[in-house]
Amino acid sequence: MTIRLYDTMRRAKVDFVPADPARVTMYVCGPTVYGRAHIGNARPAVVFDVLARLLRHTYGPDAVVYARNITDIDDKIIAAAAAEGVDPKVITDRFEAHYLADMGALGVQPPTLAPHATDYVAERVDAAGRVTGMIPMIADLVAKGAAYAAQGHVLFDVAAPGDYGRLSRRPLDEMIAGARVEVAPYKRNPADFVLWKPSTADQPGWESPWGRGRPGWHIECSAMIAAELGETIDIHGGGLDLIFPHHENELAQSACAHGGAPLARVWLHNGFLSMGGGDKMSKSLGNVVGVDDLLAAGWSGDVIRLALLSAHYRQPLVWSEALLEQSKARLNRWKRAVDDVTLEPLDDLRFAATLWDDLNTPHALSIVSELVSSSPAAAKGALRLLGFYLPAHFDVSLTEEVTVSDQANAIVCNPLVDAAIAARTAARARRDFAESDRIRDELAGQGIVLEDGPGGTTWRRG
Ligand SMILES: [Zn+2]
């Protein structure tokens, strides 16, 4: 069996063939940390968490490098910091912690790598002598004629790659004709985008060949991918709204910097989440539902997770109270059936094949419904693979489907413990002390002792 995934670039479902099955690389564009995550933000986090779990199940727990970045330099962050009169780091630290706690409550494991954009602005030299970083990458693009400096800015020349627009399938001349963005005087072409821009004295900035400034958003991901994962990764993911311009720009600049090497073998995009009326959730419409709001309203992270996985990831998902109610009833029924069952390694091939077929979670969940009555142990294994919170979920002796060494144990289990702690923190925040005690007791049963202190909760093996 081969995993098949829908590649946005080819507009087709393709066999997924990683360059190196011992090191499968996936990068998903992460949050810009200046506000709380809403349920629309949670969808890619949960979808790609399931994919990462499936890849680990398929290729081995240590064979997957999943990077999800933190964008911690951005004009909205700077504005939020100015509004509060604090350093931008106060804002980014606060909302990154919120993000991790909120996603942890939904059963999202921390990724293997969480690169922070600000760590990749200046030049970096790795052990092999490879130079990476945004400033060297921009300088390289300028040297290759794919970018140009003008009035303290550096712009990417969209005419340089020769095939700009191929991911979103927008012809360049249409983009130019339709460019409604204000045309800055320093742009040669209205579709050219900013790689670098000047910072005033009170804005965060880095010294560069073009003066003190800061990077544009698109170059961040290209530089972090090059530094941490290499020139071509196996999977690049994100929400549908990132196809243009963000991913189009990432792939154009990366290809120009790397002699035409493609940025990703497969491009995956999740569909939009809309609110009951069919409107896309947006601040301007006032229909934004925060993950913390849902948790505070008493919905458990597992119920929210199930609701998010109830539609195929590429399809639009209409969010509603009714969906949450249905998901809660379904999950309660399943949990009652599997709670006392001993977890067994998942060997239901039909279930795995369904996920291998472009991550068909609605069908996988219907198989769980059948397994709950015919084979509860298999149902439990299936739910666990999908990342649902189950008692055995935090069993440190039973890690992802295989017996592992202590070292792998540390890698695989620590995120599970961290996720459990995040779920408990979220439970405490909504004053659900029964739930927080239950999680604490379960961890204690696995020999994990929690200690609550002023800096948060830490753990040790008891
Ligand atoms: Zn990105």
Side-chain angles (χ1 to χ4, degrees):
M1 282 295 293
T2 307
I3 296 180
R4 287 174 61 77
L5 297 170
Y6 186 88
D7 177 20
T8 306
M9 180 69 85
R10 283 171 278 184
R11 303 290 195 277
K13 227 190 265 187
V14 298
D15 284 351
F16 174 62
V17 184
D20 177 4
R23 186 174 182 271
V24 180
T25 51
M26 175 163 82
Y27 183 95
V28 174
C29 297
T32 300
V33 279
Y34 68 97
R36 293 300 288 252
H38 60 65
I39 189 64
N41 303 137
R43 192 176 189 194
V46 169
V47 162
F48 289 103
D49 179 66
V50 172
L51 181 56
R53 289 167 188 268
L54 181 67
L55 293 170
R56 290 196 177 103
H57 178 79
T58 307
Y59 292 94
D62 300 330
V64 179
V65 185
Y66 169 26
R68 185 187 65 203
N69 71 293
I70 297 286
T71 291
D72 58 351
I73 173 78
D74 181 273
D75 287 357
K76 296 191 199 81
I77 294 169
I78 297 171
E84 277 191 37
V86 296
D87 190 84
K89 191 156 167 46
V90 173
I91 300 291
T92 57
D93 282 351
R94 181 196 307 157
F95 288 105
E96 180 181 352
H98 281 314
Y99 181 80
L100 295 177
D102 290 345
M103 295 309 122
L106 305 190
V108 174
Q109 289 179 331
T112 327
L113 302 171
H116 289 61
T118 50
D119 292 333
Y120 296 79
V121 179
E123 177 179 293
R124 300 160 62 95
V125 183
D126 68 16
R130 215 167 47 100
V131 176
T132 58
M134 296 174 214
I135 290 173
M137 192 172 203
I138 296 169
D140 181 44
L141 288 168
V142 171
K144 286 173 172 159
Y148 55 94
Q151 298 179 26
H153 294 70
V154 181
L155 284 299
F156 184 83
D157 176 359
V158 294
D163 58 358
Y164 183 78
R166 69 199 177 98
L167 179 68
S168 56
R169 301 201 176 175
R170 295 173 186 223
L172 184 54
D173 51 356
E174 271 179 28
M175 279 188 265
I176 294 167
R180 293 189 315 157
V181 286
E182 62 176 295
V183 179
Y186 45 79
K187 285 189 182 183
R188 286 182 196 161
N189 180 325
D192 291 352
F193 57 90
V194 170
L195 299 173
W196 189 260
K197 58 185 166 188
S199 290
T200 57
D202 58 341
Q203 291 171 328
W206 288 257
E207 294 304 330
S208 82
W210 319 284
R212 187 174 171 281
R214 60 190 189 281
W217 175 35
H218 314 304
I219 194 73
E220 295 178 6
C221 292
S222 285
M224 287 186 275
I225 290 169
E228 294 294 349
L229 302 177
E231 294 187 352
T232 302
I233 56 176
D234 292 315
I235 298 172
H236 195 323
L240 205 58
D241 50 335
L242 295 186
I243 295 176
F244 186 85
H246 185 52
H247 287 168
E248 195 74 76
N249 292 352
E250 278 187 33
L251 84 90
Q253 65 207 1
S254 287
C256 283
H258 300 142
L263 179 56
R265 284 184 182 76
V266 178
W267 290 85
L268 249 56
H269 293 96
N270 66 273
F272 287 125
L273 183 147
S274 63
M275 302 314 285
D279 295 322
K280 182 174 180 266
M281 200 164 54
S282 78
K283 283 206 173 99
S284 58
L285 288 171
N287 60 357
V288 175
V289 178
V291 173
D292 55 326
D293 296 331
L294 291 167
L295 293 168
W299 298 105
S300 80
D302 264 359
V303 168
I304 300 168
R305 184 179 183 92
L306 181 58
L308 286 169
L309 294 175
S310 64
H312 186 259
Y313 76 92
R314 283 195 284 118
Q315 298 303 316
L317 173 62
V318 180
W319 192 256
S320 67
E321 188 101 356
L323 174 65
L324 284 163
E325 291 288 4
Q326 287 160 14
S327 302
K328 184 178 178 181
R330 207 176 181 193
L331 199 59
N332 282 344
R333 200 163 59 238
W334 291 348
K335 284 193 171 179
R336 272 198 303 275
V338 306
D339 250 6
D340 297 329
V341 172
T342 306
L343 178 69
E344 286 173 14
L346 180 67
D347 63 354
D348 188 274
L349 284 178
R350 200 168 49 115
F351 178 80
T354 295
L355 289 178
W356 283 336
D357 180 17
D358 197 28
L359 214 63
N360 192 341
T361 57
H363 191 217
L365 293 170
S366 71
I367 293 176
V368 171
S369 276
E370 294 171 26
L371 289 175
V372 159
S373 31
S374 63
S375 171
K380 191 167 196 169
L383 282 168
R384 188 154 168 272
L385 176 56
L386 289 170
F388 285 95
Y389 174 74
L390 295 164
H393 192 98
F394 304 121
D395 182 343
V396 293
S397 62
L398 244 182
T399 59
E400 300 295 312
E401 281 69 56
V402 289
T403 311
V404 291
S405 65
D406 279 354
Q407 190 195 359
N409 203 37
I411 295 166
V412 175
C413 297
N414 290 359
L416 291 180
V417 176
D418 292 343
I421 290 173
R424 178 170 170 270
T425 302
R428 279 156 53 105
R430 64 177 191 269
R431 307 190 69 76
D432 184 351
F433 298 113
E435 173 72 1
S436 80
D437 288 351
R438 191 180 65 77
I439 295 172
R440 186 199 59 209
D441 294 346
E442 254 168 34
L443 287 171
Q446 304 301 334
I448 302 287
V449 179
L450 299 186
E451 281 163 0
D452 295 318
T457 304
T458 56
W459 64 275
R460 61 182 168 79
R461 289 184 198 277

